[in-house]
Amino acid sequence: MKNIAVLVSGGGTNLQSIIDAVESGYIDGKINVVISNREDAYGLYRAKKHNIKAVFENDENKIIEEIKNHNTDLVILAGFLKILSSKFTRTFENKIINIHPSLIPAFCGKGYYGLKVHEGAIDYGVKVSGATVHFVDENADTGPIIAQETVPVLPTDTAEELQKRVLVIEHKLLKEVVKKYCEDKIRVEKRRVFID
Ligand code: GRF
């Protein structure tokens, strides 16, 4: 069984989908700790409600220590809005995954977070958007892509409406990837990721 740490900055609906998938037995893993750089993150409250250790911490070195203390096999960034240093990403190389609410390499990288991602997609006029789960390297949203899924962008969409539609598939995609990771079914060769 894999040891999982989840990092959140906000509401934590992606965290909740992982908690539910662990509790139902879909994912063969254990969430040992949820860490947030924001004291008031609702994600911390979700963790406590499920008897998971919830830590508010902003200092990256302390976050690294906390993750190491639990023999963590997988670090999930689930709406974690702080950019990680290369020290962090090297410490947990190929063990950190992130969920991003667009089809990378579109609408990602610096400045593309929250509603800005969806505003970008709508303003550009794309007909499909979606979600991406990827490994995290030292740059924002550039690591090897593990899985992607699309949703339509409708002519009448507001950023909020598109965000909601994408969020539904985020929850599904993230738990599928975490399941495969916990079963050692994900392999990386350079930028290409293979799922058995
Ligand atoms: C999600 O859209 C995720 O893709 C992005 O931040 C948002 C977090 O939502 N990285 P939540 O906190 O999981 O509800």
Side-chain angles (χ1 to χ4, degrees), residues 1-176:
M1 186 185 290
K2 302 285 187 205
N3 289 315
I4 302 170
V6 186
L7 274 54
V8 296
S9 296
T13 62
N14 279 289
L15 163 68
Q16 189 67 53
S17 77
I18 300 301
I19 291 175
D20 294 345
V22 165
E23 287 186 353
S24 74
Y26 177 75
I27 290 172
D28 185 22
K30 183 170 187 285
I31 305 171
N32 296 305
V33 64
V34 171
I35 304 170
S36 179
N37 61 327
R38 294 216 189 137
E39 197 165 14
D40 60 352
Y42 190 71
L44 288 177
Y45 173 72
R46 291 182 193 271
K48 283 182 209 149
K49 245 181 25 186
H50 290 264
N51 295 317
I52 299 167
K53 185 177 181 192
V55 176
F56 158 57
E57 185 55 73
N58 212 356
D59 180 310
E60 203 191 72
N61 287 320
K62 289 194 181 142
I63 295 177
I64 292 174
E65 281 320 301
E66 182 66 39
I67 293 172
K68 280 185 172 170
N69 283 342
H70 297 281
N71 282 323
T72 302
D73 301 297
L74 174 64
V75 180
I76 303 172
L77 308 184
F80 189 63
L81 294 179
K82 191 178 157 89
I83 303 277
L84 298 166
S85 73
S86 52
K87 178 185 173 190
F88 188 104
T89 54
R90 274 199 299 263
T91 304
F92 305 110
E93 205 182 354
N94 284 341
K95 288 185 176 175
I96 315 168
I97 64 172
N98 180 46
I99 174 100
H100 183 77
S102 77
L103 297 172
I104 290 176
F107 316 114
C108 63
K110 211 166 172 265
Y112 281 112
Y113 59 87
L115 277 178
K116 292 190 197 301
V117 179
H118 306 292
E119 281 160 8
I122 288 169
D123 290 348
Y124 198 94
V126 293
K127 303 296 184 201
V128 289
S129 189
T132 303
V133 180
H134 63 95
F135 283 111
V136 175
D137 63 12
E138 65 276 15
N139 299 307
D141 300 330
T142 57
I145 291 171
I146 304 169
Q148 294 185 302
E149 199 168 318
T150 61
V151 298
V153 180
L154 307 178
T156 54
D157 268 348
T158 61
E160 286 82 1
E161 284 164 343
L162 181 57
Q163 181 180 50
K164 265 194 208 149
R165 193 175 308 123
V166 172
L167 207 48
V168 173
I169 59 159
E170 285 186 46
H171 298 157
K172 176 173 160 277
L173 199 64
L174 184 59
K175 72 179 180 204
E176 284 170 1

